[in-house]
């Protein structure tokens, strides 16, 4: 709970009927780190994202983000406070262009309302120009600038994942929460993603990363939290977690094998 | 300092604009050759264009199905009727009532929007349908104990649009040219319609327009990106309703008579058909839909009886029946062969065409 910590989660619980998706999960994410969140299928990783971003209300526990509690805050307010996310099953605005997707990400940091739209005053025109410029920059930053005017749904899978990251970055987050960004990517794309994550971190954004690709997790994450059946079973550096017998057992019992080679 | 983006409008574009302007200016006289009825039909096409564009904000941009839209048209129409007729003996000028009508319709839009924020699709359609009917039933029954709406008889002798001594209802000779009442209204409607179109285009290409489209595409993602979906949806209802109110006020001034009968469910369905058939979310498509669906029944009305006489020697089906029959068939045909509408936005069109072309 020092000035270092950006996000503190205390005793987070979430049930879906009889399923305990999350049980008393406690952890802290520091400023500027890449924090991994791993665990077998159904461990509760995505549920944690949904509770954190206000899509579901937690049944117990609370978050403190950037020094202030994040209780019963609506998803849009969470974004405003500085948490942006991507989705495990990509949720782009499919029938809008890649550029428009990112421009929508700028919504929360811009102001123009009905009157600005109708009268197009100087301030509104300047804001629109700035939104467009910044959105192009972000498309370039994640490497999909060439597809700016293509519909989101016509982008290749890897490009869609990167576009989702650009859209999230457009909201100027302090914490970027990525739900399996490497899913469906080939080795080259995953390499590029790794460099992108490191660059984002260098630019001062903290990252919370859910990922099944253990090589990626082990190579970029400073610390890793392991969930199993909604419980925290381990936390520590990638190397420590990898050797933890509980983690090995959890993964051997599951479908995904932990690649110990790193 | 000039504007930040240099604009060179080529002479060709100017020529095209001048040509269209001239055509629009002459249109009521061309239509009058076929009879004044056709000038009135042109006027209705513009009223419906305004209505359809308003509904397009809610349905086409924000993706919220609204089956009670005609209620806002009714609100605008009755506001003008009550404030500019002998019914209460109040005779306010049009330009004063127009913002009132739009404003009240806007408030009703929010009243409808607020409780339905969490509803989508079918559920929203049912609630909005009920809302539309409630407004109509109110207008039918608000004649007792205090006579506000004059009930089913409606309100008569509504003031026409006037500026000074110029009344749009009377025929008149201006600068040596003979103008009929509907012809004069045509120009007022053209002005209002162009205004509504410009505002709609600007709304679509704005921060707010993008937020509407984001909600249509994926509400959860829109929220996660920081869009206050509650406010943005309410704005869609409010803006759409305002345009309905404006169309209603001008309708009232043009017809000089309103009654609850004009605001039934069937009208809502027609306006929705204009939006869907033309091409949801695409402004030119919606305008095309409004014009076509206003014209089609009228064309049928004037052609079906002579056609039957020529073919069978007598009238087998009266014009009204044929009209509905052809109307229904046309709707079905368009939904089958052009499911994205007659003039779909580029976006929707691509969506519906991909499967075969996609490699692999
Ligand atoms: N909306 C929901 N309703 C009911 N049950 C849910 C819901 N969301 C998640 N669950 C359940 O909660 C548990 C945790 O699911 P969650 O999606 O968080 O797992 P995960 O760790 O993200 O798994 P994966 O690696 O497969 O993405 C699962 O048993 C899942 O079925
Ligand atoms: Mg998941």
């Amino acid at each position: 709970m020092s000035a270092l910590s950006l996000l503190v989660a205390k005793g987070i619980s979430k049930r879906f009927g009889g399923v305990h998706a999350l049980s008393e999960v406690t952890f802290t994410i520091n400023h500027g780190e890449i924090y991994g969140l791993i665990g077998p299928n159904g461990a509760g990783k995505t549920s944690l994202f949904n509770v954190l971003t206000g899509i579901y209300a937690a049944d117990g526990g609370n978050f403190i983000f950037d020094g202030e509690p994040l209780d019963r805050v609506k998803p849009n307010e969470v974004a405003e406070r500085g948490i942006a996310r991507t989705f495990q099953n990509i949720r782009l605005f499919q029938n809008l262009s890649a550029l428009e997707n990112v421009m929508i990400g700028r919504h929360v940091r811009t102001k123009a309302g009905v009157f600005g739209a109708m009268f197009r005053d100087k301030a509104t025109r300047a804001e629109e120009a700035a939104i467009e410029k910044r959105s192009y920059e972000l498309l370039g930053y994640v490497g999909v600038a060439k597809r700016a005017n293509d519909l989101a749904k016509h982008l290749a899978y890897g490009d869609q994942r990167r576009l989702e990251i650009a859209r999230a970055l457009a909201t100027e987050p302090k914490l970027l929460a990525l739900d399996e960004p490497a899913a469906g990517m080939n080795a080259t794309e995953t390499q590029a993603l790794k460099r992108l994550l490191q660059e984002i971190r260098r630019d001062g954004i903290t990252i919370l990363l859910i990922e099944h690709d253990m090589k990626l997790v082990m190579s970029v994450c400073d610390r890793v939290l392991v969930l199993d059946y909604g419980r925290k079973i381990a936390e520590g550096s990638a190397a420590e977690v990898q050797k933890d017998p509980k983690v090995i057992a959890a993964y051997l019992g599951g479908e995904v094998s932990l690649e110990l080679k790193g | 300092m000039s504007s930040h983006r240099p604009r060179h409008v080529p002479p060709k574009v100017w020529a095209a604009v001048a040509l269209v302007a001239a055509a629009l200016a002459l249109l009521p006289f061309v239509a009058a050759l076929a009879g004044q009825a056709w000038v009135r039909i042109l006027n209705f096409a513009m009223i419906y264009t305004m209505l359809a564009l308003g509904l397009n904000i809610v349905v086409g941009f924000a993706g919220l199905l609204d089956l009670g839209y005609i209620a806002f048209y009714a609100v605008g129409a009755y506001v003008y009727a009550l404030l500019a007729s002998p019914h209460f003996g109040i005779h306010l000028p049009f330009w004063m009532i127009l913002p009132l009508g739009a404003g009240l319709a806007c408030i009703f839009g929010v009243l409808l929007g607020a409780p339905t924020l969490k509803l989508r699709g079918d559920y929203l359609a049912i609630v909005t349908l009920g809302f539309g009917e409630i407004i109509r039933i109110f207008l039918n029954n608000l004649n007792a104990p205090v006579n506000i709406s004059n009930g089913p008889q409606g309100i008569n002798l509504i003031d026409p649009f006037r500026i000074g001594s110029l009344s749009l209802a009377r025929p008149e000779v201006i600068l040596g040219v003979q103008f009929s009442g509907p012809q004069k209204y045509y120009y007022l409607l053209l002005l209002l319609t162009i205004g509504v179109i410009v505002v709609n285009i600007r709304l679509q290409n704005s921060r707010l327009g993008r937020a509407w489209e984001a909600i249509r595409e994926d509400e959860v993602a829109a929220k996660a990106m920081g869009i206050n979906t509650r406010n943005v949806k309410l704005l869609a209802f409010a803006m759409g309703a305002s345009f309905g109110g404006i169309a209603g006020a001008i309708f009232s001034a043009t017809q000089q008579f309103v009654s609850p009968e004009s605001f039934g469910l069937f009208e809502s369905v027609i306006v929705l058909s204009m939006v869907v058939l033309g091409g949801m979310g695409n402004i030119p498509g919606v305008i095309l839909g409004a014009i076509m669906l206003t014209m089609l029944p009228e064309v049928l009305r004037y052609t079906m009886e002579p056609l039957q006489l020529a073919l069978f020697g007598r009238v087998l089906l009266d014009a009204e029946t044929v009209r509905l029959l052809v109307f229904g068939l046309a709707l079905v045909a368009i939904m089958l062969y052009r499911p994205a509408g007659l003039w779909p936005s580029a976006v929707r069109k691509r969506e519906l065409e991909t499967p075969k072309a996609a490699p692999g």
Side-chain angles (χ1 to χ4, degrees):
Chain A
M1 261 123 278
S2 64
L4 278 179
S5 45
L6 177 63
L7 179 73
V8 181
K10 272 189 275 185
I12 302 296
S13 297
K14 178 70 197 171
R15 281 188 313 276
F16 293 108
V19 179
H20 289 260
L22 295 167
S23 305
E24 309 254 333
V25 178
T26 296
F27 63 94
T28 300
I29 301 178
N30 297 323
H31 276 286
E33 73 178 335
I34 300 184
Y35 191 83
L37 177 56
I38 66 170
N41 290 110
K45 305 179 295 292
T46 299
S47 300
L48 183 72
F49 267 35
N50 287 337
V51 172
L52 170 66
T53 54
I55 291 177
Y56 296 135
D59 296 317
N62 62 297
F63 292 103
I64 294 171
F65 179 68
D66 211 14
E68 281 180 52
L70 209 60
D71 293 337
R72 262 174 288 137
V73 175
K74 295 202 205 78
N76 58 300
E77 293 163 347
V78 173
E80 209 176 320
R81 291 273 297 274
I83 301 179
R85 69 173 290 183
T86 64
F87 295 86
Q88 182 169 356
N89 36 11
I90 304 172
R91 299 190 79 144
L92 286 165
F93 306 119
Q94 297 283 343
N95 295 305
L96 302 179
S97 72
L99 182 67
E100 284 170 320
N101 268 270
V102 184
M103 288 172 82
I104 289 166
R106 294 298 300 149
H107 182 94
V108 68
R109 301 295 168 220
T110 45
K111 285 202 268 309
V114 177
F115 290 94
M118 284 206 281
F119 299 110
R120 292 225 174 135
D121 53 302
K122 215 168 166 190
T124 306
R125 288 200 309 269
E127 188 182 271
E128 274 293 302
I131 290 172
E132 202 178 315
K133 180 163 172 281
R134 180 73 188 131
S135 302
Y136 264 119
E137 283 169 10
L138 283 166
L139 284 177
Y141 185 84
V142 302
V144 287
K146 279 199 190 116
R147 312 298 308 268
N149 287 312
D150 290 323
L151 294 190
K153 66 178 171 202
H154 291 159
L155 266 56
Y157 203 71
D159 286 348
Q160 292 199 11
R161 290 239 177 253
R162 275 194 290 273
L163 176 57
E164 235 194 347
I165 295 176
R167 184 180 68 176
L169 287 174
T171 68
E172 293 174 21
K174 292 177 183 136
L175 178 67
L176 178 65
L178 304 173
D179 199 343
E180 301 195 22
M185 284 189 176
N186 62 33
T188 332
E189 285 176 318
T190 308
Q191 263 323 98
L193 176 70
K194 179 181 153 185
R195 286 192 298 274
L196 177 62
L197 295 181
Q198 285 162 339
E199 202 175 335
I200 292 170
R201 186 240 300 265
R202 258 203 308 283
D203 290 340
I205 296 168
T206 308
I207 298 175
L208 170 56
L209 175 68
I210 296 181
E211 194 42 73
H212 276 305
D213 184 328
M214 285 308 149
K215 256 194 217 153
L216 180 63
V217 172
M218 296 307 157
S219 62
V220 298
C221 293
D222 303 301
R223 289 187 306 142
V224 180
L225 168 71
V226 190
L227 288 182
D228 190 24
Y229 292 111
R231 293 181 182 282
K232 170 171 160 179
I233 57 168
E235 187 187 22
S237 74
E240 286 162 17
V241 158
Q242 247 175 341
K243 294 192 206 92
D244 194 311
K246 272 191 282 183
V247 177
I248 294 169
Y251 270 90
L252 287 178
E255 289 159 36
V256 183
S257 65
L258 188 61
E259 287 174 45
L260 290 169
K261 284 153 277 174
Chain B
M1 286 282 288
S2 61
S3 74
H4 62 99
R5 214 178 287 171
R7 277 180 217 162
H8 294 291
V9 183
K12 256 191 203 160
V13 172
W14 280 120
V17 169
L19 222 67
V20 170
L24 285 174
L26 291 176
L27 194 56
F29 291 94
V30 177
L33 297 177
Q36 285 298 321
W38 284 97
V39 182
R40 284 200 192 89
I41 293 165
L42 278 181
N43 290 352
F44 264 103
M46 290 192 281
I47 291 178
Y48 276 117
T49 298
M50 287 188 244
L51 270 178
L53 285 173
L55 182 61
N56 182 50
I57 292 179
V58 183
V59 178
F61 294 165
L64 305 162
L65 187 49
D66 182 353
L67 282 181
Y69 183 70
I70 213 71
F72 308 122
Y73 185 50
V75 168
Y78 268 83
V79 166
Y80 185 81
L82 295 177
L83 296 180
S85 73
H87 182 61
F88 286 148
I90 306 173
H91 297 276
L92 295 179
F94 181 82
W95 294 117
M96 198 181 280
I97 306 177
L98 191 66
L100 289 178
L104 193 68
C106 174
I107 291 171
F108 273 88
V110 174
L111 282 182
L112 170 64
T116 56
L117 281 171
K118 295 237 159 96
L119 303 180
R120 281 201 85 89
D122 312 353
Y123 300 99
L124 182 62
I126 297 291
V127 176
T128 52
L129 188 153
F131 176 81
E133 285 299 280
I134 287 170
I135 297 284
R136 190 179 60 81
I137 292 166
F138 259 102
L139 292 173
N140 245 326
N141 294 290
L142 273 181
N143 53 348
V146 185
N147 187 359
I148 297 173
S149 72
N150 209 25
Q153 288 101 322
I155 293 172
N156 227 325
L157 299 173
I158 299 170
D159 300 349
F161 179 88
R162 273 199 206 98
I163 308 174
S165 63
L166 177 90
S167 157
L168 291 195
R170 287 190 303 269
E172 202 165 352
V173 177
I174 303 169
L175 303 172
V177 183
Q178 170 77 36
F179 285 87
S180 70
Q183 280 171 336
K184 287 194 283 181
Y185 267 114
Y186 171 91
Y187 295 104
L188 172 68
L189 279 161
L190 189 62
L191 207 73
L192 283 171
T193 307
I194 290 173
V196 167
I197 293 172
V198 168
V199 169
N200 266 274
I201 292 172
R202 290 187 159 193
L203 280 173
Q204 185 174 24
N205 299 309
S206 73
R207 172 175 176 266
L208 182 58
R210 285 191 297 272
W212 284 333
E213 291 185 318
I215 291 176
R216 178 192 72 203
E217 292 295 314
D218 189 328
E219 195 168 343
V220 172
K223 277 186 190 158
M225 290 304 115
I227 293 173
N228 185 331
T229 52
R230 182 195 59 197
N231 291 358
V232 168
K233 276 195 209 172
L234 279 180
L235 269 175
F237 274 112
M239 296 303 297
S242 307
F243 289 118
I246 291 173
I250 185 72
F251 166 75
S252 203
T254 316
Q255 294 299 103
Q256 295 180 258
F257 168 72
V258 294
S259 78
E261 222 177 288
S262 310
F263 310 106
L265 174 61
F266 190 64
E267 286 288 305
S268 277
V269 171
I270 296 262
V271 179
L272 185 65
S273 307
M274 291 169 175
V275 174
V276 174
L277 294 187
M280 250 196 297
N282 188 35
I283 292 171
V286 172
I287 298 170
L288 179 72
I291 294 173
M292 294 220 11
L293 285 196
T294 319
M295 296 291 179
L296 178 72
E298 302 302 333
V299 171
L300 294 177
R301 196 207 305 273
Y302 288 101
T303 53
M304 275 305 124
E305 288 195 3
L307 189 70
Q308 288 184 59
L309 279 175
L311 286 179
F312 313 113
R314 63 195 170 96
V315 178
L316 297 171
L317 294 166
D318 70 89
E320 194 62 16
T321 314
V322 181
R323 207 156 69 90
L324 287 178
L325 203 69
V326 174
F327 193 73
L329 285 176
L331 293 195
V332 172
I334 289 174
M335 284 295 102
L336 280 176
Y337 298 108
R338 292 194 71 89
L342 291 170
W343 189 344
S345 56
V347 169
R348 280 184 63 83
K349 187 178 160 125
R350 274 182 271 178
E351 172 189 22
L352 291 156
E353 275 181 1
T354 28
K356 269 183 215 151

